[in-house]
Amino acid sequence: ACGVPHDIVLTGRFECDTERLSSDLQRICEHHIRFFGEPAPVDYYQFQVLVVGDGYGGLEHRSSTSLICSRDSLPKSGDIEMTDSYREFLGLCSHEYFHTWNVKRIKPAVFQPYRLQSEAYTELLWAFEGITSYYDDLALARCGLIEPKAYLELLSRTITRVFRGKGATRQSAAESSFNAWTKFYKQDENAANAIVSYYAKGSLIALCIDLKMREVSNGEKSLDDVMRVLWQNWKANESGVEDNDIQLIVRGLCSTDLSDFLEGLICQSEEMPLEELLSTVGVGFNRRAAAGQNDKGGKPVEGRLPEVTFGASLKEENGSLRILRVDEASSAQKAGLAAEDQIVAVNSISLTMEKFEQHLLRAKAGDSFVVHAFRRDELNRFEVRLLPAVANTVVLDIDADNEAKCQAWLQIS
């Protein structure tokens, strides 16, 4: 990639079209190198991939990354389609490779030097993980591995994930970053109601900054320029990034004062102007109710949608439905149900997940269910009055009349 040798080491039992994988990763790596500017900051790079039955994750290093993926995520010989699982794996590789610049070199000042004997607190994780999360999938579109429609589907899912949690309105991105040690990495069943991921919300803040800069500069400046300034600053003296440095760079690049805009995004927990900003690049913003528990958003749904919501995340196991978490102020919470309750019957009938969702599809707001559930070893009876479904599932699409704006943003010629 741009003259630098890269190796991919796959460990485990798997089948893989290694030529396709190498070709696709080469495109991603060359995109990132050229994004920041040649030459690459490494003389050699290695993707270390542990292939397992079911797994996902990665950790960046200065000239390598350690990854875990499921064997179904790898491309098979003869396959030409971009499956969801392979797309996800490429996004993971893109994310960790972007960290070669943004985290392993450009980093918070409090990380210089690293003090590995204790926690290091910073309000900037929203930028270092969030901005990286913004560019990981965007790079797949920009280098032509996925179509714009597929990219918008991925972006829709991120927005949906943030919208569905109450934490986005309770905790700012700066607070989420600073409290990572005590909140994000010590989550309990109430986390979705109390905190927000600095990865997901941070990526949406990066999107907002990018689109706002493009809007006020008539397309002359963007978040791309911010990242390149950060990189040039690091190359000049390897200095760390202070809490307000990114805001200062944005202000320096734009003639319009965006101080209040940035303060609201980063330090407040107010709703982000996603719909308004996406419209400036020709992207339509649509909301609907979730079609079911496995509906992640991003795609239109044919047929009828539920008119009610139960308000709990469930897992089918051992002939019952175990509650993983309960949404605040939901039907389930108002009835007194809690995480780890085992639902064994609804209206005196045992149900699978599929039958339970069919039950919800037939229900109207105000209807009641009688739920029998075990809490530890005690059987309890709950009356659940169903509330109206919430339009917290997002589908983005390209406005045909403004397609050129979307292509300019995605840099598609």
Side-chain angles (χ1 to χ4, degrees), residues 361-373:
L361 192 60
R362 294 191 295 268
K364 303 286 186 182
D367 289 354
S368 294
F369 286 170
V370 175
V371 173
H372 283 88

Side-chain angles (χ1 to χ4, degrees), residues 6 14 22 29 60 76 88-89 133 142 198-199 212 214 220 224 231 260 265 271 275 282 291 307 315 327 362 393:
H6 290 58
F14 59 88
S22 296
C29 295
E60 70 277 1
K76 309 299 187 293
E88 183 181 62
F89 176 64
S133 296
R142 286 183 169 178
Y198 53 79
Y199 284 83
K212 190 66 173 181
R214 292 172 187 272
E220 295 297 320
D224 299 359
W231 178 234
D260 292 343
L265 284 177
E271 187 171 342
E275 184 171 358
E307 298 179 20
K315 182 179 181 179
D327 299 335
R362 294 191 295 268
T393 303

Side-chain angles (χ1 to χ4, degrees), residues 63-270:
S63 57
S64 66
T65 178
S66 179
L67 307 167
I68 297 176
C69 77
S70 65
R71 58 181 63 96
D72 290 337
S73 297
L74 298 174
K76 309 299 187 293
S77 298
D79 288 350
I80 58 173
E81 68 172 321
M82 177 65 71
T83 64
D84 288 353
S85 58
Y86 183 44
R87 181 179 66 184
E88 183 181 62
F89 176 64
L90 290 178
L92 174 64
C93 293
S94 176
H95 182 101
E96 305 304 340
Y97 195 73
F98 196 87
H99 274 321
T100 307
W101 293 265
N102 193 40
V103 161
K104 298 313 298 181
R105 287 161 180 83
I106 309 166
K107 61 169 67 73
V110 297
F111 288 179
Q112 293 185 313
Y114 287 120
R115 296 181 298 278
L116 301 182
Q117 71 276 15
S118 62
E119 298 90 341
Y121 292 89
T122 174
E123 293 185 349
L124 288 172
L125 295 184
W126 71 266
F128 288 94
E129 287 297 354
I131 291 177
T132 302
S133 296
Y134 173 56
Y135 279 110
D136 55 19
D137 288 333
L138 183 59
L140 303 187
R142 286 183 169 178
C143 67
L145 285 172
I146 62 174
E147 296 295 324
K149 181 179 178 181
Y151 171 67
L152 292 180
E153 179 186 327
L154 293 171
L155 183 56
S156 300
R157 291 182 174 187
T158 301
I159 297 172
T160 298
R161 191 160 67 249
V162 173
F163 274 15
R164 286 181 178 172
K166 299 283 188 181
T169 60
R170 302 283 172 76
Q171 187 184 50
S172 72
E175 290 170 335
S176 176
S177 300
F178 191 83
N179 293 320
W181 293 103
T182 56
K183 299 289 186 181
F184 188 74
Y185 286 105
K186 294 184 178 181
Q187 294 188 28
D188 57 22
E189 65 277 3
N190 194 49
N193 297 318
I195 67 173
V196 68
S197 164
Y198 53 79
Y199 284 83
K201 188 171 184 179
S203 71
L204 298 184
I205 290 173
L207 168 67
C208 289
I209 295 173
D210 190 17
L211 299 186
K212 190 66 173 181
M213 290 182 70
R214 292 172 187 272
E215 180 189 24
V216 300
S217 68
N218 293 317
E220 295 297 320
K221 298 296 180 181
S222 70
L223 186 61
D224 299 359
D225 298 292
V226 176
M227 298 311 298
R228 291 173 186 133
V229 170
L230 286 168
W231 178 234
Q232 293 304 316
N233 290 348
W234 184 87
K235 288 202 298 182
N237 52 30
E238 297 191 12
S239 60
V241 179
E242 301 290 349
D243 285 353
N244 292 317
D245 280 358
I246 293 174
Q247 291 93 311
L248 292 173
I249 293 170
V250 172
R251 294 171 199 163
L253 290 169
C254 297
S255 57
T256 303
D257 185 2
L258 298 178
S259 300
D260 292 343
F261 174 78
L262 295 170
E263 172 72 16
L265 284 177
I266 298 165
C267 300
Q268 305 299 324
S269 54
E270 58 196 46

